[in-house]
Amino acid sequence: MSVFNQSRSRIIRLIFLVAFLVIAGQLFYLQVISGKYRQLADENAILRKTIYPPRGLVFDRHRNAILNNTLTYDLWVTPSLAKGIDTLFFCQLMGIDTAEYNKRILNAIIKNKSFRPSIFEASLSTEKYARLQENLWRFQSGFYIQDRPIRSYPYKAGANIYGYIGEVDSNYLKRHAEEGYQSGDYAGMTGIEASYEKALMGERGVQVFIRDQKNRIQGSYENGALDKEAVAGSNLHTSLDIELQQFGEMLMENKVGSIVAIDPKSGGILAMVSSPTYDPGYLTGPERNKHVRDLLYFDPRLPMLNRAVSATYAPGSTFKTLQALVGLSEGVINTRTTYSCGGAFYGCGSGKPMGCLDPGTYYLATGITHSCNTYFANVMQRVINNPKYPNVDSSLRSWNKYMAAFGLGHRLGVDVPAEQKGMIPTPEFFNKVYGSGKWGFCTFRSVSIGQGEVTATPLQVANEMAYIANKGWYIIPHIVDSIEGGDKFGLLDKYKQRITPINLDDSIFEAVHDGMQGVMEGGTGRGSKVEGITICGKTGTVENYYRGVKQPNHSFFCAFAPRENPKIAIMCVVENSGRFGGTYAAPIVSLMIEKYINDTISAKRKPLADRLSKTNLIPKMMLDKMRVRDSIARAKEETAMNRELKEIKDTLQTEETISAAELREDKKKENKPAGDTGSKKPVPADMIIPDKQKTPGQAGKDTLPN
């Protein structure tokens, strides 16, 4: 062979060798190094079906299941495998149009890639589920039905405590990137569902199926070798008394406000009522997303606002119990110190005096019993002007420390999300408002009676009562007492410790107890006595403003009972009732105490419970907001009816005149359930965010009795 031919032969061999190496390298890259095509191949041949575990159950203190599980069914789609189906027929089954179909497919691709399964529709209705089961074989290449546990609520109460679960979004996945969540998973969004998500969620399982060349499921992959069983979430045992919760929600019907009841010995929350509320089952099922939007964004009552922890109010005269503790501890008064009231507090010289409805001479216990504004203005004035402090800044800081010890001005750490911290004014606050050195006690004198710049949540006020009942200690209020299988994540650690922030002598608390017992026996709460139970209580009538306009007064009451060996510490606020604390809040609290301690309401007091539950105290401003919403809804309904009427006329080509009102009446008749007499239900209570408190400039206008 010539040299030329030998050289050409080597070149050809070299070319073939290089080509072989390139092809082999590419195959090695695709099959070993790059997982993309391997994953695509697997997705075509294998279906991995997530098995969602049952969420942990939740029990009340008497082992009643208050949060349970039932099954729902989600329709899942793998967009890359859903091509070539009869889209029109599929849309008819689902009750959607092709535009909605394309939108959902696009959202699935954006959210989770085309080759991964995504939820096409969550919580299928019974009708859709039945239709799909009959026809799913037509679309099995790209769609499958996944069963999933959802919550059921044996008791229609406690919605703001439980919260709700929802599908995780991209933001949730980013925030919990290390916790193994995937698109399509559900998690607790609010309430204890969110606070105890780690314990409640359990562990997902998986079933792996093999498909044939037509993407039909042929059975388990490798006899289930890759399958993993789901592990149910842990059950929670709470301090809630579900019957007491239901009773409280009944008493607060047609009212705006809150009730919080605590076991002072354990810190366990017995009831947490926020009114208006909603049926917790409203946030389950196929319309869940729509209902969440309605409650969050379109309902002016804001029923998803948990007022017990998220609303703040001036505490009014309930605050006087704490002023008494500070005055006794600082030594500026003793239990026999007296002050005379001629109808107002004149200790700040010129300007409008701070009024008081019950003139007389009072010592500590009677000052609490009759809620004398003048008495407690003098007490706080002595605390702030105490000569042992070099200036008003330092004396106010000392007063701040007491308030922090009592649980005010900071979040307590309850296991329900969205807790607010309230407001305790500081020197920095007044320096910013008035300028350094340009303020003193007379600038904020209304704080002495729980008005002006001081605010607290209902939870904080109930915790104050637990602190006073225990004579100087409390345990952080909480819903959950224990977790079955152990507290693996340390969620309950902080609820096991007594908090004793300052040391006060028992005699100081006994003096305050005397005054609070007097409130119920001959003072401002005497109309709410409960036979056989010694209650220590305190009324409050709270001024409030909304955008600078004075609103009807809030009715406040807080208490603990019995005086010896207390079993319940409780507060109630009825917003804008326009009456005193003893008029509405006190009888509600007394009924709750009776129900809890005696496990029943006496025949003598049942009419009071019925009367209170039927009393409508919805503020006019809130009702006006409801009427505006309803008028807008009616206008939209009228427009929709007219559109529907036009479509009917166009279809039938009729000359007959039909009004939208007539069409609406026909619709009502079609939808009226059997036996419906046509009677109207009462308009639901309106709700707004709690009214703004007075500005510092209005601090001297408090003249309320309690």
Side-chain angles (χ1 to χ4, degrees):
M1 182 181 294
S2 67
V3 174
F4 173 77
N5 287 336
Q6 287 181 352
S7 176
R8 186 171 64 176
S9 175
R10 288 194 202 97
I11 292 172
I12 292 172
R13 287 182 188 141
L14 183 61
I15 291 172
F16 274 104
L17 179 61
V18 170
F20 173 78
L21 291 174
V22 169
I23 293 170
Q26 185 68 12
L27 288 173
F28 178 80
Y29 172 77
L30 293 176
Q31 295 182 20
V32 179
I33 298 176
S34 173
K36 177 181 177 182
Y37 293 96
R38 183 175 69 254
Q39 185 176 24
L40 286 172
D42 285 348
E43 294 294 341
N44 284 325
I46 294 173
L47 171 65
R48 291 179 177 85
K49 192 174 182 180
T50 300
I51 306 301
Y52 290 101
R55 286 179 75 82
L57 307 184
V58 180
F59 299 90
D60 83 340
R61 67 191 298 109
H62 301 298
R63 293 194 63 82
N64 297 306
I66 55 178
L67 262 182
N68 219 326
N69 292 315
T70 188
L71 280 180
T72 190
Y73 298 92
D74 299 337
L75 181 63
W76 286 67
V77 63
T78 304
S80 63
L81 302 179
K83 298 173 182 177
I85 69 168
D86 186 342
T87 306
L88 187 59
F89 179 58
F90 179 83
C91 288
Q92 289 174 348
L93 288 176
M94 295 297 296
I96 61 176
D97 55 26
T98 54
E100 176 65 18
Y101 173 86
N102 292 330
K103 176 183 175 183
R104 294 187 188 184
I105 292 293
L106 181 60
N107 286 339
I109 294 172
I110 293 171
K111 187 165 62 174
N112 208 27
K113 308 297 183 183
S114 64
F115 54 86
R116 291 181 184 146
S118 298
I119 292 180
F120 185 84
E121 183 166 322
S123 295
L124 295 169
S125 66
T126 304
E127 295 78 9
K128 283 186 182 180
Y129 177 74
R131 291 197 300 266
L132 282 169
Q133 284 289 66
E134 293 178 3
N135 295 278
L136 194 61
W137 61 272
R138 303 172 185 268
F139 317 106
Q140 200 173 32
S141 61
F143 291 88
Y144 67 89
I145 291 176
Q146 168 79 59
D147 60 291
R148 174 174 56 83
I150 60 169
R151 287 306 200 188
S152 63
Y153 303 90
Y155 301 88
K156 306 302 181 185
N160 283 292
I161 300 171
Y162 310 144
Y164 68 94
I165 57 176
E167 185 180 357
V168 300
D169 58 16
S170 57
N171 290 328
Y172 191 96
L173 292 173
K174 289 176 183 177
R175 291 197 307 271
H176 302 269
E178 305 301 320
E179 298 174 27
Y181 288 98
Q182 302 170 1
S183 180
D185 285 354
Y186 281 71
M189 297 295 164
T190 58
I192 60 173
E193 292 276 26
S195 299
Y196 292 92
E197 168 67 14
K198 288 182 178 180
L200 290 168
M201 66 178 290
E203 297 179 18
R204 289 184 301 272
V206 66
Q207 282 183 295
V208 185
F209 299 96
I210 189 72
R211 305 183 200 236
D212 64 12
Q213 66 274 19
K214 294 184 179 180
N215 288 311
R216 294 174 300 193
I217 295 175
Q218 298 301 299
S220 180
Y221 180 74
E222 293 187 358
N223 295 318
L226 300 182
D227 292 356
K228 178 185 175 184
E229 287 191 11
V231 178
S234 300
N235 297 334
L236 306 182
H237 293 270
T238 73
S239 55
L240 288 172
D241 184 322
I242 193 60
E243 290 187 2
L244 187 67
Q245 178 75 24
Q246 288 180 308
F247 186 57
E249 291 189 11
M250 182 197 77
L251 292 174
M252 290 296 290
E253 284 180 6
N254 294 315
K255 301 168 189 66
V256 178
S258 179
I259 303 172
V260 179
I262 298 173
D263 179 345
K265 293 293 184 282
S266 68
I269 294 172
L270 306 172
M272 180 182 280
V273 176
S274 180
S275 182
T277 186
Y278 58 93
D279 182 343
Y282 191 61
L283 300 186
T284 61
E287 297 294 311
R288 188 194 68 82
N289 288 337
K290 176 182 179 300
H291 292 163
V292 170
R293 286 194 300 271
D294 288 345
L295 291 174
L296 276 177
Y297 305 117
F298 303 117
D299 193 333
R301 300 174 301 162
L302 300 181
M304 294 187 75
L305 173 69
N306 187 350
R307 292 175 175 268
V309 297
S310 298
T312 58
Y313 310 85
S317 289
T318 62
F319 197 63
K320 292 172 182 175
T321 56
L322 303 184
Q323 297 285 35
L325 293 177
V326 177
L328 290 170
S329 177
E330 286 289 286
V332 297
I333 60 167
N334 59 48
T335 57
R336 306 310 302 173
T337 300
T338 60
Y339 291 104
S340 294
C341 173
F345 172 68
Y346 297 98
C348 287
S350 61
K352 185 178 178 180
M354 189 164 64
C356 188
L357 283 189
D358 292 317
T361 299
Y362 299 101
Y363 57 92
L364 182 73
T366 56
I368 293 173
T369 295
H370 297 283
S371 200
C372 177
N373 287 349
T374 297
Y375 188 93
F376 289 97
N378 276 289
V379 170
M380 189 174 186
Q381 187 174 40
R382 282 196 175 189
V383 169
I384 297 301
N385 294 337
N386 192 339
K388 78 174 185 178
Y389 296 105
N391 52 50
V392 69
D393 284 51
S394 56
S395 61
L396 183 59
R397 288 188 198 283
S398 175
W399 181 85
N400 290 152
K401 290 178 182 177
Y402 280 104
M403 293 302 126
F406 302 151
L408 299 183
H410 59 89
R411 296 177 181 86
L412 291 169
V414 66
D415 53 355
V416 178
E419 181 190 6
Q420 299 301 304
K421 63 182 181 179
M423 167 72 173
I424 294 295
T426 62
E428 289 75 18
F429 173 81
F430 288 126
N431 286 338
K432 184 175 180 180
V433 174
Y434 299 107
S436 181
K438 297 181 180 179
W439 54 272
F441 167 74
C442 290
T443 310
F444 56 88
R445 61 181 182 175
S446 57
V447 168
S448 64
I449 60 170
Q451 293 281 172
E453 294 82 7
V454 61
T455 65
T457 66
L459 178 74
Q460 289 173 325
V461 177
N463 188 64
E464 289 171 23
M465 292 297 101
Y467 174 82
I468 294 174
N470 291 333
K471 298 180 182 177
W473 61 269
Y474 66 90
I475 295 174
I476 296 174
H478 56 278
I479 298 289
V480 176
D481 281 339
S482 64
I483 302 173
E484 279 189 22
D487 183 13
K488 302 172 185 176
F489 304 101
L491 300 174
L492 302 178
D493 290 348
K494 65 181 179 180
Y495 305 124
K496 305 299 182 184
Q497 305 166 11
R498 284 191 181 190
I499 296 176
T500 309
I502 52 176
N503 292 315
L504 300 180
D505 194 271
D506 281 2
S507 62
I508 291 177
F509 290 100
E510 288 290 348
V512 174
H513 290 188
D514 288 342
M516 294 177 70
Q517 184 175 337
V519 168
M520 305 304 294
E521 294 182 352
T524 53
R526 59 187 177 276
S528 298
K529 291 174 63 175
V530 180
E531 188 174 343
I533 302 176
T534 303
I535 300 175
C536 294
K538 186 68 194 78
T539 54
T541 306
V542 182
E543 282 189 348
N544 62 99
Y545 290 75
Y546 181 70
R547 295 179 179 175
V549 178
K550 191 179 186 310
Q551 302 299 313
N553 299 324
H554 298 327
S555 179
F556 255 65
F557 188 76
C558 58
F560 64 87
R563 177 171 177 172
E564 301 301 326
N565 190 25
K567 297 179 181 177
I568 182 172
I570 184 170
M571 77 80 61
C572 173
V573 53
V574 181
E575 286 189 28
N576 303 124
S577 72
R579 302 294 296 167
F580 302 135
T583 308
Y584 295 116
I588 288 173
V589 164
S590 73
L591 286 164
M592 292 285 285
I593 289 173
E594 182 179 6
K595 171 70 174 172
Y596 180 68
I597 292 179
N598 293 343
D599 200 32
T600 187
I601 300 297
S602 67
K604 180 181 178 181
R605 280 167 51 89
K606 280 184 179 177
L608 172 63
D610 293 339
R611 186 167 66 251
L612 281 169
S613 69
K614 294 173 183 176
T615 300
N616 192 326
L617 298 175
I618 303 301
K620 178 182 179 301
M621 181 171 61
M622 300 181 183
L623 289 174
D624 290 343
K625 286 178 175 286
M626 284 299 294
R627 292 189 188 100
V628 169
R629 186 192 71 160
D630 291 344
S631 64
I632 293 173
R634 282 195 296 271
K636 289 181 178 179
E637 180 187 3
E638 191 84 13
T639 301
M641 288 293 181
N642 285 326
R643 189 182 302 115
E644 184 177 345
L645 177 61
K646 184 178 183 302
E647 291 173 356
I648 292 172
K649 285 183 176 181
D650 291 344
T651 302
L652 298 179
Q653 295 182 343
T654 179
E655 296 294 328
E656 183 180 359
T657 301
I658 305 173
S659 70
E662 289 171 331
L663 185 60
R664 183 165 56 249
E665 287 302 315
D666 290 340
K667 289 267 186 188
K668 287 180 181 178
K669 291 176 182 177
E670 290 174 9
N671 297 328
K672 185 185 295 183
D676 190 347
T677 61
S679 62
K680 294 182 179 179
K681 294 182 179 179
V683 176
D686 198 359
M687 177 189 254
I688 61 169
I689 293 175
D691 300 339
K692 293 182 180 178
Q693 307 301 328
K694 291 188 299 181
T695 61
Q698 296 166 317
K701 296 185 180 180
D702 302 80
T703 59
L704 290 175
N706 292 279

